[in-house]
Amino acid sequence: MDQRISKLDLKTSLSALSDLFLPRACVVCGEHLLPCERHICMECLADLPLTHFETLSRNPMADRLNAALPDELRYVYASALFFYSPYAGYDKITKALKYRRNFAAGRYFARMLGDKLASSPLYSDVDVVVPVPLHWMRWWSRGYNQASVIASEVARCLKTPCSSGMLRRVRRTASQTSLSASARINNVSSAFRVVGYKANPAIRNFGQDECRPAFRHILLVDDVFTTGATTAACIMALRAALGPDIRISLATLAVVER
């Protein structure tokens, strides 16, 4: 028997059979996938513009985020899996999850991000993962929060809880896509609030009127990092509610280069 055939596992064999009737396509280039490929072809995967920011305590993404924060809240670690590259088609990875409900591809790349964070000492002590929330009206119209899909997979890789209810967007904001950096900051100012944290199992009570968080390092998760305005607003809300001793970091699938 041909060794190439004998080495095929059941999952790959079933994938090959399925491709005969419903061919799968690379999320980046659109070419048909081989049975051994998942969501992205080997050529596009080899050229995936990885940031390697998970290995760097200071990097351009983290510097951009910290520039949007008050001095007393710095320095926040930040990492992204890859650079958001529309000209090479890699922007289609985040768009497939956000606009086309491709949850399988979103989870696949979220696991790639989570595995990299899990191997980094900068994120080894993360004890709760929190997705950047959508306003309920936007969630209702879309039916899901893409940040929660990513956060759930990252939390599994880090072997830590994912808390989708800790942070809430209490004010509906305009889309950030076409806004300037200063307009983005004004747009999301006071848009987030920590809710129900006293009843959260991650909170330990120390007396009738005093609470202290049982966690020490929060990892915020979103799909794409642009200017840092949204994340900065989330960080300020978390610090205001939980105090200055909480460490907060950020992870996203993609980061827009500047």
Side-chain angles (χ1 to χ4, degrees), residues 34-236:
L34 297 173
C36 60
E37 295 171 335
R38 299 287 182 269
H39 307 292
I40 185 170
C41 68
M42 287 185 286
E43 185 174 348
C44 289
L45 181 59
D47 291 335
L48 184 65
L50 297 172
T51 69
H52 302 291
F53 285 167
E54 74 280 353
T55 65
L56 303 171
S57 59
R58 298 191 73 99
N59 59 63
M61 176 181 172
D63 287 344
R64 199 187 311 167
L65 171 58
N66 283 275
L69 289 168
D71 291 345
E72 65 271 15
L73 299 184
R74 301 173 184 173
Y75 188 82
V76 174
Y77 295 152
S79 181
L81 178 62
F82 62 91
F83 291 106
Y84 189 90
S85 180
Y87 303 107
Y90 288 101
D91 60 323
K92 295 176 183 177
I93 293 174
T94 54
K95 289 178 179 177
L97 172 61
K98 187 172 183 178
Y99 301 116
R100 297 198 293 277
R101 306 177 69 91
N102 193 337
F103 301 120
R107 293 186 184 104
Y108 175 83
F109 291 102
R111 284 192 294 272
M112 290 180 61
L113 171 64
D115 287 341
K116 288 185 175 295
L117 296 174
S119 67
S120 169
L122 300 179
Y123 303 92
S124 61
D125 61 344
V126 168
D127 40 28
V128 65
V129 178
V130 177
V132 172
L134 291 177
H135 188 268
W136 70 267
M137 293 182 67
R138 189 160 291 165
W139 189 98
W140 183 82
S141 64
R142 185 176 297 168
Y144 63 97
N145 179 8
Q146 70 277 2
S148 293
V149 176
I150 300 166
S152 294
E153 293 301 320
V154 169
R156 288 190 182 96
C157 294
L158 294 176
K159 296 180 173 60
T160 194
C162 179
S163 178
S164 297
M166 182 185 300
L167 194 61
R168 181 179 298 172
R169 191 183 290 249
V170 294
R171 181 169 60 82
R172 190 179 185 186
T173 56
S175 172
Q176 299 273 80
T177 306
S178 59
L179 299 180
S180 66
S182 58
R184 285 171 182 254
I185 293 173
N186 292 331
N187 188 43
V188 295
S189 177
S190 303
F192 300 95
R193 183 179 301 161
V194 175
V195 293
Y197 61 92
K198 290 185 178 180
N200 192 298
I203 300 294
R204 182 182 297 120
N205 292 311
F206 287 89
Q208 186 174 358
D209 300 319
E210 185 180 12
C211 295
R212 291 292 183 270
F215 46 77
R216 289 290 177 263
H217 190 176
I218 297 172
L219 180 66
L220 273 174
V221 170
D222 207 355
D223 56 343
V224 180
F225 180 88
T226 307
T227 64
T230 298
T231 308
C234 291
I235 291 173
M236 286 187 278

